Amino acid sequence: MTAESVSAMTEPEGGEVRAGKALPKQQRDRRPSPATGPDQNYLPSGPLLDAVRRQVRLRHQSLRDFLGPELFIAYCHAHARGTVNLVTLERFCDEILGWHPRMLYGDAYDQAAFDPPDPV
């Protein structure tokens, strides 16, 4: 792929996607989230962040190198917000920890995974 083809890809609906062009904050905040069900449920990020930091120390790597670019950003977001959504939690558990999220959160994970999200 060339730089031009990456910077001007088209979406299936025909809309054009330009690299580096984010929606203004006002437009991002007004759009409804496409997430449904457990994708909208959150848990406190503390147990996950602690487990990731333990793995980083055991492997003697930097956090950025250990997680890679996508999960490093997700880690930073979870740290800043103090919460993590279930999809992100499951990705960390699958790709980084090799654990089931229930091992970190117990019954709280089951409740968040199987209960409908609170209406906003």
Side-chain angles (χ1 to χ4, degrees):
M1 275 187 147
T2 66
E4 283 181 42
S5 64
V6 170
S7 67
M9 295 187 298
T10 57
E11 295 178 335
E13 297 83 51
E16 191 167 325
V17 178
R18 295 234 180 246
K21 299 284 185 182
L23 290 174
K25 184 166 176 34
Q26 299 86 0
Q27 287 179 343
R28 286 193 313 254
D29 292 343
R30 281 189 257 151
R31 292 186 336 184
S33 170
T36 58
D39 293 352
Q40 290 181 337
N41 290 341
Y42 290 80
L43 287 168
S45 60
L48 174 65
L49 301 179
D50 291 343
V52 169
R53 284 191 296 261
R54 276 192 303 274
Q55 290 296 317
V56 168
R57 279 193 303 272
L58 288 172
R59 295 180 187 244
H60 304 288
Q61 287 183 289
S62 73
L63 186 62
R64 186 181 301 263
D65 289 340
F66 181 66
L67 296 177
E70 287 182 24
L71 287 177
F72 180 74
I73 291 170
Y75 178 93
C76 292
H77 285 268
H79 181 33
R81 290 184 186 127
T83 60
V84 62
N85 74 18
L86 298 190
V87 173
T88 303
L89 169 63
E90 290 169 0
R91 184 169 176 203
F92 270 99
C93 286
D94 288 344
E95 295 178 25
I96 300 299
L97 302 173
W99 302 342
H100 190 278
R102 195 171 202 304
M103 295 173 72
L104 288 173
Y105 289 93
D107 292 337
Y109 172 77
D110 289 341
Q111 184 177 1
F114 299 111
D115 287 351
D118 293 330
V120 177

